[in-house]
Amino acid sequence: MERITIYEAQKCTSPNPITLVCAQMPDGGTNLAAISWWTYLANKPPMIGFAISKRSYTGELIEQTKRAILSIPGEALKESAFRCGCVSGRVVNKAKEFNIEMAKGFPVHSKLAFVCSLESMLEVGDHIFYACNVEEILYNPDEKQLYCWDGYKRLGTL
Ligand SMILES: Cc1cc2nc3c(=O)[nH]c(=O)nc-3n(C[C@H](O)[C@H](O)[C@H](O)COP(=O)(O)O)c2cc1C
């Protein structure tokens, strides 16, 4: 076996999951960030967790509101969900700019939506890991789920 970097390992484990982490902004709107690093943590009670860069606006909003919705985006959001990972909500209202139709705080074209409350946080290098209680899970069987391909280069279905 050969030694490789973490970036190369992440390409090897692709396709990776993709979510849009939805967090409420002070003006009542919703900020959307493309986040691949999420995982289930427990079934009893249902818990999930995700790691977000310390520099992100999303982390700041979750710490203020103690809430987030994790949306698994459907195929209609192939381009726009990727764009949510390329710019900060500090400078752009992403839902508005990228024409993402929203309802009840998350994109209409979601395959799944995990409605969460913040349980605890852990500093992990240059990221913060947010462990959350899942209060409700909503499912739309008609949406085709997106994944990250070639590491985190593009989104597409399986
Ligand atoms: C496909 C993809 C996956 C990403 N996954 C993560 C991730 O797991 N954690 C993270 O901190 N940033 C991730 N990013 C980068 C954030 O989405 C990006 O920094 C975003 O601008 C943060 O937005 P915010 O400042 O509005 O919170 C990803 C970007 C892309 C394109």
Side-chain angles (χ1 to χ4, degrees):
M1 295 186 81
E2 54 181 297
R3 295 181 80 127
I4 60 169
T5 64
I6 192 148
Y7 306 105
E8 290 165 321
Q10 287 165 0
K11 268 194 181 174
C12 291
T13 53
S14 199
N16 300 312
I18 185 68
T19 67
L20 287 174
V21 175
C22 310
Q24 193 176 0
M25 298 188 286
D27 68 1
T30 302
N31 185 53
L32 302 167
I35 300 295
S36 185
W37 296 354
W38 81 279
T39 184
Y40 294 105
L41 295 176
N43 286 344
K44 291 179 188 171
M47 293 187 73
I48 60 177
F50 44 89
I52 305 189
S53 164
K54 285 178 182 169
R55 287 170 308 177
S56 76
Y57 186 36
T58 299
E60 191 183 310
L61 294 173
I62 293 173
E63 287 169 39
Q64 281 165 16
T65 63
K66 315 278 185 232
R67 300 196 66 79
I69 300 178
L70 262 71
S71 149
I72 308 287
E75 195 172 10
L77 303 181
K78 188 174 159 177
E79 312 298 336
S80 53
F82 190 84
R83 294 177 77 188
C84 289
C86 303
V87 63
S88 176
R90 285 198 181 91
V91 290
V92 165
N93 182 323
K94 297 186 227 185
K96 218 172 173 180
E97 284 292 313
F98 307 152
N99 291 316
I100 299 177
E101 193 186 343
M102 303 285 292
K104 297 182 181 164
F106 63 90
V108 168
H109 290 291
S110 299
K111 168 131 190 169
L112 284 162
F114 297 89
V115 180
C116 299
S117 61
L118 180 63
E119 173 70 28
S120 59
M121 305 187 304
L122 177 70
E123 193 174 347
V124 281
D126 57 359
H127 283 53
I128 306 279
F129 185 78
Y130 297 92
C132 293
N133 292 302
V134 179
E135 295 177 347
E136 189 180 19
I137 306 171
L138 302 165
Y139 173 58
N140 183 348
D142 297 329
E143 293 287 347
K144 215 167 172 213
Q145 180 175 346
L146 289 170
Y147 295 85
C148 302
W149 290 87
D150 307 326
Y152 309 105
K153 276 211 180 101
R154 64 186 173 88
L155 303 184
T157 54
L158 275 182

